[in-house]
Amino acid sequence: MSEKRSAARKSSDERRDEIVRATLRLVAAKGFAGVTLREVATEVGVVHGLIRHYFASRDELVAAAFDVAVTRELAADQQQLDGLDPIAALAGWLAATNENHYHVWIDAWSEAPRTPALAAALARHHDDCERILTRVIERVVDAGLGASADPAADSRLLTAVADGVAVQHHVVGVIGVDEANDIVFGIAERQLGLEPGILARANPVPARGQWADAPAR
């Protein structure tokens, strides 16, 4: 009872944030299509009707959860990238991320055709990711470490490669993490005129997807 009274004292923003976090935990475990408002309510520990006070429908909730999570994720990613030298930043951005991170993105791609609000959020953040990588490529070029006639076009290419490799690694399981990095790094080095092996030698820690490692509670 005391727990419920404590929960009731949460502000509207705190409660909304709690619902979003619970939704992302369920999405990571079950996929977007498997999440229901009732399950989110159970995860949060509130009555079902309270969820509808914040989100009118399941589609609105999963889109909002994805939007909030990725917005925060990319802000944290950008801060981390800004603290790295250009090569380490490029390696970190292209390095294979943790499983939960990509499972959420991959499942969002799958669910988007049936959920317009999610499709819109996904498109916005895909563009955000390409812009971040474009800036990292520009930093590499400005430092005299590589070359790119069109950083935005190279960003689109490398994003497509990294996403495709992620599907083979995380979903199909036909390649491991080392091979995934070898493929993406090798293509990036050839495309940008980098010294072969320089990205692997940067010993990258993935510089994206950190929200998925956050504690569940």
Side-chain angles (χ1 to χ4, degrees):
M1 193 68 176
S2 62
E3 184 178 347
K4 289 185 177 180
R5 283 199 300 269
S6 175
R9 289 197 293 268
K10 291 182 178 178
S11 71
S12 178
D13 287 344
E14 288 172 334
R15 177 62 74 195
R16 193 177 194 280
D17 183 67
E18 185 179 37
I19 292 169
V20 164
R21 288 180 180 275
T23 302
L24 262 294
R25 290 197 297 273
L26 290 171
V27 166
K30 303 178 62 173
F32 284 95
V35 174
T36 68
L37 294 182
R38 195 168 300 279
E39 286 176 319
V40 174
T42 299
E43 178 76 6
V44 177
V46 298
V47 296
H48 175 240
L50 183 62
I51 305 297
R52 288 192 176 275
H53 175 73
Y54 293 92
F55 301 96
S57 68
R58 188 204 73 91
D59 288 356
E60 180 183 322
L61 172 57
V62 297
F66 180 80
D67 191 37
V68 168
V70 177
T71 297
R72 291 173 178 170
E73 173 189 24
L74 293 183
D77 293 345
Q78 186 66 71
Q79 184 175 23
Q80 184 176 352
L81 290 170
D82 288 345
L84 298 173
D85 67 65
I87 293 298
L90 181 61
W93 184 260
L94 295 177
T97 62
N98 64 67
E99 186 176 30
N100 279 348
H101 165 77
Y102 250 113
H103 273 186
V104 170
W105 276 87
I106 290 167
D107 199 60
W109 297 333
S110 176
E111 182 68 13
R114 296 177 293 277
T115 310
L118 180 59
L122 185 60
R124 286 197 306 274
H125 292 307
H126 181 85
D127 289 346
D128 291 338
C129 289
E130 287 191 352
R131 281 193 290 271
I132 289 173
L133 180 53
T134 296
R135 179 55 192 143
V136 172
I137 293 171
E138 289 171 344
R139 288 177 58 198
V140 169
V141 173
D142 290 346
L145 300 170
S148 173
D150 188 340
D154 286 333
S155 175
R156 287 193 296 275
L157 170 66
L158 295 177
T159 297
V161 170
D163 287 344
V165 168
V167 171
Q168 293 187 37
H169 170 43
H170 288 304
V171 179
V172 186
V174 295
I175 59 176
V177 63
D178 291 337
E179 186 178 1
N181 284 337
D182 286 346
I183 292 170
V184 178
F185 290 169
I187 291 174
E189 287 162 359
R190 290 192 294 274
Q191 185 68 20
L192 302 177
L194 301 175
E195 177 188 340
I198 193 171
L199 295 178
R201 289 196 298 274
N203 193 25
V205 173
R208 57 190 305 200
Q210 305 309 310
W211 68 266
D213 288 331
R217 302 278 184 186

